[in-house]
Amino acid sequence: MLFRSGRYFDAIAYYMMFSGINRPGEILNAYREDLNFPEDNGAGCLILSIRKPKTGHTGGAKQQSTPFWEPELINACRWLYYHRPPKSKLYPFSRTTLGVRLQQHLQIIGKDLAEEGFSPGCFRAGGATFAFLTGCGISRIRIRGRWTSERTLEHYIQEGNCMLALKNTSEATRRMLPECARVAKYLLLELPSKPVQDFKLRKGEVGKESAVKSWFGDYNLRNLKPAKKIRC
């Protein structure tokens, strides 16, 4: 089964950090009981409750959450998490594993992209930058990312660094990026409608689905090291 290798856990974590402008720790510390599905809340969106929000002791709200409206993410979360125990983690691996797997995915897309030194924390900055470049107002971005001040947010909006990173990559890599995004969205949206009910994560297991395997490949964590240069 594909999910046993962790690929869908990775994909959902990436999506939540980017779209929800979430910190890596907020996803790593989240449990199934923190997810509230559209059919349970009547709001038509998936809601992730944030445990111990970073700004909760510095003037921010004590209880914080992130809504997600994307149908492909809602579908993937329903398929993978709906029947999981309340105390099961959304991402059942370590932060180091998250970073190492991200580097492998980037290397598959393009080695020049992997050399830019992206880390899991870059999804938050990237999500804020993308929202800004696509016309979202600073105030809305600040509320979604739960920053206490716009001055702090300004450090995350790195439209210049975003363009420079793309400029440093090859034409083949630049063509691959939107295609990977298109395929990933399709795969998440086309998951079976019936949620997974029982499974066990086993070390070393990899999926057999060739469609995804051709894009993401198998993990070889022992031969892969996190990037030394961290951009974010």
Side-chain angles (χ1 to χ4, degrees):
M1 292 296 291
L2 180 62
F3 53 81
R4 286 178 177 170
S5 68
R7 292 191 182 95
Y8 279 115
F9 290 110
D10 294 336
I12 291 174
Y14 298 161
Y15 208 133
M16 284 185 166
M17 288 186 290
F18 182 83
S19 175
I21 317 182
N22 285 303
R23 301 174 179 87
E26 293 171 344
I27 305 303
L28 291 169
N29 295 328
Y31 292 80
R32 165 61 183 91
E33 62 184 3
D34 299 322
L35 280 182
N36 194 271
F37 286 88
E39 55 268 30
D40 299 325
N41 57 45
C45 63
L46 177 72
I47 300 176
L48 172 67
S49 298
I50 306 299
R51 289 176 175 258
K52 299 180 180 179
K54 183 178 180 181
T55 58
H57 301 288
T58 58
K62 300 296 182 182
Q63 295 182 344
Q64 300 181 17
S65 61
T66 303
F68 298 95
W69 301 91
E70 296 84 355
E72 62 273 16
L73 178 62
I74 295 173
N75 183 61
C77 287
R78 181 181 289 111
W79 175 76
L80 189 57
Y81 299 125
Y82 198 83
H83 289 301
R84 295 195 72 197
K87 294 297 183 181
S88 58
K89 281 201 165 187
L90 296 189
Y91 190 77
F93 308 105
S94 67
R95 180 166 184 149
T96 299
T97 299
L98 178 64
V100 169
R101 287 180 170 178
L102 172 61
Q103 285 303 308
Q104 183 175 31
H105 293 152
L106 294 176
Q107 288 181 13
I108 293 170
I109 296 172
K111 292 184 178 180
D112 48 356
L113 186 63
E115 292 172 355
E116 288 297 311
F118 292 107
S119 69
C122 292
F123 283 105
R124 180 169 165 83
T129 301
F130 178 78
F132 178 76
L133 293 176
T134 51
C136 187
I138 291 292
S139 296
R140 291 186 62 186
I141 299 174
R142 183 185 68 79
I143 293 173
R144 183 160 181 79
R146 303 174 311 284
W147 282 283
T148 55
S149 69
E150 292 186 2
R151 179 177 297 181
T152 305
L153 170 58
E154 291 173 358
H155 295 288
Y156 281 82
I157 298 180
Q158 305 171 10
E159 65 271 24
N161 284 349
C162 175
M163 301 307 174
L164 287 174
L166 287 177
K167 183 179 179 181
N168 293 336
T169 60
S170 66
E171 183 178 349
T173 298
R174 290 195 293 272
R175 288 199 306 267
M176 182 71 77
L177 284 170
E179 185 66 10
C180 285
R182 183 188 67 82
V183 171
K185 181 177 180 178
Y186 170 80
L187 291 173
L188 292 178
L189 193 58
E190 295 300 316
L191 285 171
S193 57
K194 184 178 180 181
V196 176
Q197 297 198 32
D198 62 353
F199 62 89
K200 294 181 180 180
L201 292 170
R202 299 177 183 176
K203 186 177 181 181
E205 282 190 315
V206 295
K208 297 180 180 179
E209 285 79 350
S210 58
V212 182
K213 200 171 183 179
S214 63
W215 285 97
F216 295 108
D218 292 335
Y219 294 130
N220 186 6
L221 303 182
R222 286 179 293 184
N223 297 332
L224 188 65
K225 297 180 180 179
K228 294 181 180 180
K229 181 180 64 173
I230 302 299
R231 176 176 291 276
C232 302

